[in-house]
Amino acid sequence: MSGDNALKTRILHLLELLTVNFWMIPLLFLVMATILSFVNIYLDRVLFTGWGEILPFPFYFKDADNFHSLLSLTASAMLGVTGVAFSITIASLTLASQQFGPRLLRNFMKTQFNQVVMGFFIGTFLYCVLLLQFSSTLEEINLTPVISLTTLLGLIITDLLLLVFFFHHTAMSIQADTIITEVHQELSERLEALFPETLETSEHLPAAALQSQEHERFETQGDVVRVQQAGYLQAIDVTGLRDYVTEQDMALKLAVRPGDFLMQNCGLGWCLNQDALDEAKQAAINSYLIVGNTRTAEQDAEYAVRQLVEIAVRAMSPGINDPFTAITCIDRLGNALAFLLNRQFPAEQYFDENARLRLQLKPFTFSGIMAAAFNQIRQNTAFHVAVIISLLETLRSLAAQARTPEQQSAIRKQADAIHVACQDEIKARADLEDIKACYQAVYRFLPVPSNSQ
């Protein structure tokens, strides 16, 4: 069972990597073009040999020279169009990297429409080249390439339409609103997958009384588990890891979570074990962690959040000075946080059937995600009154929906930090009064802290 879950995690990780590879779909189109050219010429040889003399008009292109000229012309044109499309793609990637940040290149590379267009272009080119080879004896066997020619004409029409749509799509894809919408959509999908709907009960709650006892034992009595491969922690096979430590009669506490960078030989966590933690067990624990050179979004709840933050921070830089883009990012971040207000965060503790703690994870928290969403924007927005007001209005909307003390405390902490940060930077009294009014509006939806007088 543990092996099945580990395989599932590896497969999901592989699919995540394939979605950001630009070559995958074009490669499939090349394979399809190879098969299509062979099948079409074979069917033409079987079905339409000698038909040109019976029905000459529909089969005008049975002439070998005309057919070969059309194939050569199409192949040359497709190669040129592919070069133009590739140049436009590189130019748009360069512009996006400079204005919105290099990490946004991943979103452009995973756009399936661009991959399909490039696949059609190079697939048509390969189809023409292969047909030139397969139909080299066209006149000798009196072959009329009906199916091959019909397919070729269909590909030409499709390529021309795709070229027009490609220009339109490229012009739309480099607009700030489009990029922000796509990043927000990915963020929503990740949050939907990582954070389940709120439940009345949870399986890990009955044994929660053991939390404080085990928490102290891990760091004082546990053996340190070392990292064996440096890089970003991309995913954890939680089910497989839980089953392994249960089978070995161990308890494990991880001090890292997806998105963290692991340094070679640094502490990964602590393990409570009756026997010594040997190299084999260390390697086994590390095998349930997927480590790579870059951060990925598959289990990292803050990945897409940081993409929106990067767009907002760059928009407020002196070279760009676009507060409207920053406000759009804040609106999207606020919507994502509002989604989390009514969601249950994944369990951080896993117990066996005897209510013994087996696995303790480093959890994502609402306050942590809110800090990742707003801290850098707040720190770079001291002079932008409109952005400050947008932050406070977003916090007011979140405060009206907050249900737990943690959520209310995180909102209060952000509101206080924003209000304090702008006091020394904003000089106009009218602006300060507007900011103060928004700040007070946030507190109208928050209960008074218990330690306040």
Side-chain angles (χ1 to χ4, degrees):
M1 188 67 179
S2 174
D4 294 340
N5 287 293
L7 181 61
K8 179 181 178 181
T9 302
R10 296 285 176 178
I11 292 175
L12 292 176
H13 176 68
L14 178 61
L15 293 176
E16 171 70 20
L17 295 180
L18 289 179
T19 58
V20 297
N21 283 312
F22 197 80
W23 53 265
M24 187 62 188
I25 293 181
L27 177 62
L28 292 178
F29 273 88
L30 289 177
V31 175
M32 293 168 57
T34 303
I35 297 173
L36 186 63
S37 61
F38 177 80
V39 171
N40 283 355
I41 204 68
Y42 174 79
L43 292 177
D44 284 331
R45 287 177 181 270
V46 173
L47 300 176
F48 296 102
T49 300
W51 280 48
E53 298 176 355
I54 302 174
L55 298 172
F57 179 73
F59 307 118
Y60 172 76
F61 285 102
K62 73 184 181 67
D63 182 81
D65 291 336
N66 290 337
F67 186 59
H68 290 163
S69 297
L70 179 61
L71 289 175
S72 300
L73 178 62
T74 304
S76 301
M78 284 299 101
L79 193 60
V81 169
T82 302
V84 172
F86 182 76
S87 299
I88 294 175
T89 301
I90 295 299
S92 63
L93 291 178
T94 303
L95 176 63
S97 176
Q98 293 175 348
Q99 184 168 354
F100 303 109
R103 276 152 291 279
L104 268 297
L105 295 182
R106 169 184 172 274
N107 296 71
F108 284 89
M109 292 182 64
K110 69 180 295 186
T111 302
Q112 294 184 351
F113 179 78
N114 291 343
Q115 299 178 34
V116 169
V117 170
M118 299 296 289
F120 256 100
F121 289 168
I122 64 176
T124 302
F125 171 77
L126 181 61
Y127 178 81
C128 294
V129 172
L130 293 177
L131 277 186
L132 282 171
Q133 177 63 31
F134 293 155
S135 62
S136 58
T137 59
L138 191 65
E139 289 183 328
E140 298 177 7
I141 61 176
N142 197 19
L143 173 65
T144 304
V146 178
I147 298 177
S148 300
L149 179 59
T150 303
T151 303
L152 177 60
L153 294 176
L155 288 174
I156 293 174
I157 295 173
T158 303
D159 289 332
L160 292 175
L161 292 175
L162 285 176
L163 183 61
V164 175
F165 291 137
F166 175 76
F167 291 148
H168 171 76
H169 179 267
T170 303
M172 294 293 296
S173 64
I174 60 177
Q175 296 182 17
D177 290 338
T178 302
I179 295 175
I180 293 172
T181 300
E182 291 178 352
V183 175
H184 175 259
Q185 181 177 357
E186 180 185 15
L187 174 59
S188 299
E189 293 173 355
R190 294 299 178 181
L191 296 181
E192 182 80 26
L194 293 175
F195 299 94
E197 295 183 1
T198 302
L199 302 177
E200 295 296 332
T201 59
S202 179
E203 295 181 357
H204 64 284
L205 290 180
L210 298 177
Q211 177 181 4
S212 59
Q213 302 174 6
E214 297 292 341
H215 180 76
E216 296 176 357
R217 290 183 56 204
F218 275 115
E219 299 185 16
T220 57
Q221 303 178 21
D223 296 325
V224 177
V225 183
R226 299 291 178 181
V227 173
Q228 296 185 342
Q229 179 183 354
Y232 286 97
L233 179 58
Q234 297 175 338
I236 302 175
D237 178 15
V238 176
T239 304
L241 186 58
R242 180 198 61 193
D243 293 343
Y244 173 77
V245 296
T246 302
E247 292 171 2
Q248 298 296 321
D249 193 23
M250 298 187 302
L252 176 66
K253 177 182 178 181
L254 292 181
V256 295
R257 65 187 179 196
D260 291 344
F261 183 80
L262 308 182
M263 298 177 62
Q264 188 71 36
N265 294 323
C266 73
L268 183 68
W270 301 270
C271 181
L272 294 173
N273 187 21
Q274 293 180 353
D275 302 324
L277 187 64
D278 54 23
E279 291 294 330
K281 292 180 179 179
Q282 295 245 16
I285 293 174
N286 275 269
S287 68
Y288 290 98
L289 310 180
I290 299 177
V291 181
N293 294 326
T294 59
R295 293 182 67 170
T296 60
E298 52 192 304
Q299 291 186 9
D300 186 358
E302 296 180 0
Y303 183 86
V305 169
R306 295 184 184 278
Q307 285 186 315
L308 286 174
V309 170
E310 182 174 7
I311 296 174
V313 172
R314 281 178 173 267
M316 292 182 294
S317 64
I320 299 177
N321 194 24
D322 181 13
F324 298 104
T325 296
I327 291 174
T328 303
C329 292
I330 293 171
D331 293 338
R332 299 295 189 176
L333 289 169
N335 185 67
L337 291 170
F339 173 83
L340 289 179
L341 290 174
N342 298 307
R343 287 280 169 160
Q344 176 182 332
F345 279 65
E348 60 184 277
Q349 296 177 317
Y350 294 86
F351 299 85
D352 61 15
E353 57 185 9
N354 297 319
R356 293 184 58 189
L357 179 63
R358 292 299 183 181
L359 180 61
Q360 170 94 35
L361 300 178
K362 181 182 178 181
F364 287 100
T365 63
F366 180 82
S367 58
I369 296 177
M370 171 168 277
F374 288 155
N375 278 357
Q376 290 191 50
I377 297 178
R378 183 193 72 240
Q379 294 161 2
N380 289 272
T381 190
F383 296 100
H384 294 278
V385 177
V387 178
I388 294 173
I389 292 177
S390 178
L391 282 171
L392 292 173
E393 288 178 344
T394 300
L395 292 176
R396 181 194 61 190
S397 299
L398 294 174
Q401 305 175 56
R403 301 180 300 106
T404 67
E406 182 206 0
Q407 296 170 357
Q408 295 167 350
S409 175
I411 295 171
R412 182 183 297 108
K413 181 178 179 180
Q414 284 294 328
D416 291 343
I418 293 171
H419 186 250
V420 171
C422 67
Q423 295 301 310
D424 295 332
E425 303 294 343
I426 306 299
K427 304 301 181 182
R429 181 178 298 274
D431 292 338
L432 288 174
E433 291 177 354
D434 291 340
I435 293 173
K436 183 178 180 180
C438 293
Y439 171 70
Q440 293 174 344
V442 176
Y443 263 80
R444 282 199 292 269
F445 294 98
L446 296 175
V448 179
S450 57
N451 59 351
S452 61
Q453 297 297 332

